[in-house]
Amino acid sequence: MSSIFRRRARGMAHIELALILCWMAFLLPVIFSMGRMFYVYAVLKQTAAAAAASLAAVPPGEWSSSVAYSSPMKLRALHLIEQSLLDAKVAPTFPLLEYDFDCNGNLMCGGDRQDTITVTLGVAIPNGYQIMTELGMSSNMAIQTSVTVPYNH
């Protein structure tokens, strides 16, 4: 009689294992995608803060002569952003799609005295998992962050 119970218990264990493995096959891609998104967001936030701090340390005289995106200070900030993303191994895999330098609500960042400087960065992470697409998530997950710092007069 005990052999029947052992066989039934073994069968129940197999069923339980199959159910758990099905849920794990569903959850693991979701967990990995969320972890990757949080990592990329943290790197973007840290990079934006470093670029904003770099722009906040620019002398006032350089602001008056700089309006275009090709100004030396903005190119330095962009180089800092690209280098930080490369160091964190984010850049080649997820290219920088968006970057903006905003000063006092003006995208040109030049001329008058600056009170605040905002750096906005954005990337798109490819989904990579078929199950995520089947759940209705788009093929790319966009991550955007923005950091505002006061200008150091």
Side-chain angles (χ1 to χ4, degrees):
M1 188 103 142
S2 64
S3 66
I4 294 174
F5 288 128
R6 273 190 240 137
R7 271 189 280 156
R8 284 186 180 173
R10 217 176 323 143
M12 286 298 291
H14 290 154
I15 291 172
E16 290 173 1
L17 178 65
L19 291 173
I20 289 172
L21 287 178
C22 288
W23 275 105
M24 291 303 290
F26 168 74
L27 286 178
L28 280 177
V30 173
I31 291 169
F32 289 143
S33 292
M34 295 301 285
R36 183 172 53 169
M37 282 177 37
F38 285 128
Y39 173 73
V40 171
Y41 177 78
V43 168
L44 278 180
K45 193 71 158 176
Q46 184 178 9
T47 301
S54 168
L55 287 172
V58 171
E62 195 171 336
W63 282 108
S64 61
S65 64
S66 171
V67 177
Y69 267 99
S70 61
S71 69
M73 64 182 179
K74 293 174 190 167
L75 290 177
R76 278 194 310 266
L78 184 57
H79 178 70
L80 175 69
I81 291 168
E82 290 171 346
Q83 191 59 45
S84 295
L85 293 177
L86 282 172
D87 291 344
K89 296 184 177 36
V90 171
T93 310
F94 314 122
L96 187 63
L97 295 179
E98 172 189 359
Y99 66 92
D100 286 323
F101 306 119
D102 181 11
C103 304
N104 297 342
N106 179 7
L107 286 174
M108 295 308 286
C109 277
D112 299 332
R113 190 183 98 202
Q114 311 305 319
D115 291 326
T116 61
I117 298 168
T118 303
V119 174
T120 303
L121 302 176
V123 297
I125 299 177
N127 192 333
Y129 298 107
Q130 182 66 28
I131 193 165
M132 303 283 280
T133 307
E134 291 174 6
L135 290 174
M137 298 180 88
S138 66
S139 59
N140 287 327
M141 295 177 272
I143 297 179
Q144 181 181 11
T145 187
S146 136
V147 174
T148 301
V149 297
Y151 180 64
N152 301 329
H153 301 297

